[in-house]
Amino acid sequence: MTTERSRGWWEEYREILPAALLDLAEVEHHAGRLRTAVTMHIPGLLQTTDHARELLRHVVPGLSPPEIEHRVSFRVKRQTVLFADAPTALVATIHEAALRMRFGGLTVATSQLRHLLDMSERDHITLRVLPSATGSFPGSGQSVFYSSGPVPRLDTVRLGQSHGPVFLDAEAQLRMYRALLDRMESVSLAPEDSRDFIHKLIHDL
């Protein structure tokens, strides 16, 4: 996927991390808008450093301490798309189960929830919570990331898998996942209600 035109900061990780992760950073870098829906983990773009480190330590088997630190630094650099002078818009739908996971213990979990609240106050970030009380919902069990390219034909879907990201770009697949994200957002809480929900979770920890 990398070309001379699109070489970026991720190239410094070329011999360190799997190529699929570099492709992910490139897709995010060129995206005009990002949408994600997750059920078990906080989206990488919204993770704190401590949360990301604990997640990588326990969820990705066999990583050495240096490999974990490379992935943490890579994840943090990916987040620069949200802090640029013209930041990329992000809509994130997060299931309650992901919000209740205490990676790293109480202090790390509380810091992560507060970070989500802070990020949700930014004009270009929309955070929606999908409460457990919703019951069954479309897309349950999936982690979906939709990147809108400079033109529609360059849109990309990433599916989170234990062995790494899987990318889809066929029009029929894009159409299906756009509809899936629409449905998941439609059954989630509104942004203000989602912030109230997270505030209550922090209080209950």
Side-chain angles (χ1 to χ4, degrees):
M1 181 178 293
T2 302
T3 66
E4 288 301 314
R5 177 191 66 80
S6 61
R7 291 179 67 87
W9 63 262
W10 49 87
E11 285 302 314
E12 66 188 82
Y13 292 87
R14 177 61 61 183
E15 303 301 323
I16 301 173
L17 298 180
L21 292 179
L22 277 62
D23 291 342
L24 170 59
E26 182 176 352
V27 166
E28 291 171 343
H29 176 77
H30 293 292
R33 180 174 182 248
L34 299 168
R35 299 171 73 188
T36 185
V38 294
T39 56
M40 291 304 296
H41 297 144
I42 304 299
L45 291 177
L46 296 175
Q47 291 177 8
T48 64
T49 301
D50 288 339
H51 179 95
R53 184 175 291 110
E54 289 299 320
L55 181 66
L56 290 166
R57 181 177 295 150
H58 296 289
V59 174
V60 184
L63 292 180
S64 68
E67 288 172 327
I68 291 173
E69 292 308 313
H70 284 312
R71 292 196 181 212
V72 169
S73 68
F74 181 80
R75 186 160 298 185
V76 170
K77 287 186 179 181
R78 282 174 48 210
Q79 297 174 0
T80 58
V81 297
L82 301 179
F83 297 97
D85 291 338
T88 305
L90 170 67
V91 179
T93 302
I94 307 175
H95 194 273
E96 178 181 346
L99 299 174
R100 291 188 178 276
M101 297 290 281
R102 294 193 184 184
F103 288 106
L106 182 60
T107 299
V108 173
T110 302
S111 177
Q112 175 63 72
L113 292 176
R114 293 191 185 282
H115 179 67
L116 287 177
L117 288 174
D118 291 342
M119 296 298 285
S120 72
E121 296 290 345
R122 295 175 178 266
D123 292 339
H124 62 288
I125 296 176
T126 301
L127 190 152
R128 305 180 69 112
V129 171
L130 192 56
S132 297
T134 301
S136 59
F137 57 92
S140 58
Q142 294 191 63
S143 174
V144 180
F145 186 93
Y146 193 104
S147 171
S148 298
V151 294
R153 64 184 177 83
L154 295 180
D155 286 6
T156 305
V157 166
R158 173 177 65 87
L159 302 180
Q161 305 289 339
S162 59
H163 55 78
V166 174
F167 295 93
L168 307 173
D169 58 11
E171 176 52 36
Q173 294 169 326
L174 295 174
R175 187 166 55 249
M176 179 183 70
Y177 281 103
R178 282 196 299 269
L180 175 63
L181 287 167
D182 287 342
R183 292 197 298 271
M184 291 182 75
E185 290 169 14
S186 72
V187 297
S188 65
L189 299 176
E192 187 59 40
D193 293 334
S194 294
R195 283 191 287 271
D196 290 343
F197 191 96
I198 295 174
H199 273 297
K200 186 176 185 305
L201 281 182
I202 292 173
H203 182 269
D204 292 344
L205 285 177

